[in-house]
Amino acid sequence: MRNQSKGRLILFDSQGIELDSLRCTVCDDALETSQHLWVDCVVARNVWDMVCKWWRHDDYPKDLQSLISWAGSNSFPSKMARYFDVVVQTTFSSIWHYRNKLCFDIKPPRKDTIGDDIKLLSHLWISHRSRNFQSCWLDWTIDPVNVCSKL
Ligand SMILES: [Zn+2]
């Protein structure tokens, strides 16, 4: 939504919150849509590439809805698919946190720690929510597919 006030263009989001810009907070190269922020943005692409390499995938879905349900659409056994889904959802959350830190923190966040955050948070989440999951942190960070195949 747009509004003119004293010759100044004021932008509002769908919730009525005043915005400085509609451009992506992370790259400033495109409008900040959900598709852009979580899939097309350069930081998101780098993070999803890391997840692919970490989980032995060649590629990831390039549209948001398919990416959200990615864990259910591959050939993993059901338990491994559940753990992979935690990784996928943690990746969305980590991208969102990175974006918010760029918006609100005084000190800019580090891009190079997003992957480590995803590995740490997904390991914490799974190890605290699943009785059957027993993996040391290092094994999880190196080869989660191997860890899951032994469960
Ligand atoms: Zn961007």
Side-chain angles (χ1 to χ4, degrees), residues 21-41:
S21 170
L22 297 177
R23 311 237 5 125
C24 175
T25 304
V26 176
C27 70
D28 199 33
D29 283 342
L31 290 177
E32 189 180 74
T33 62
S34 300
Q35 171 71 30
H36 175 79
L37 179 66
W38 280 301
V39 184
D40 300 331
C41 187

Side-chain angles (χ1 to χ4, degrees), residues 71-121:
S73 64
N74 62 46
S75 59
F76 286 149
S78 64
K79 189 178 288 184
M80 191 181 296
R82 287 198 305 268
Y83 296 153
F84 183 65
D85 191 47
V86 170
V87 170
V88 170
Q89 303 314 319
T90 302
T91 302
F92 279 108
S93 175
S94 295
I95 293 168
W96 181 245
H97 282 282
Y98 177 78
R99 178 254 185 223
N100 285 340
K101 285 179 181 178
L102 277 174
C103 283
F104 303 115
D105 286 4
I106 294 170
K107 182 180 173 188
R110 291 177 50 184
K111 273 187 282 203
D112 60 332
T113 62
I114 299 172
D116 290 339
D117 290 347
I118 292 165
K119 292 176 180 179
L120 174 65
L121 293 171

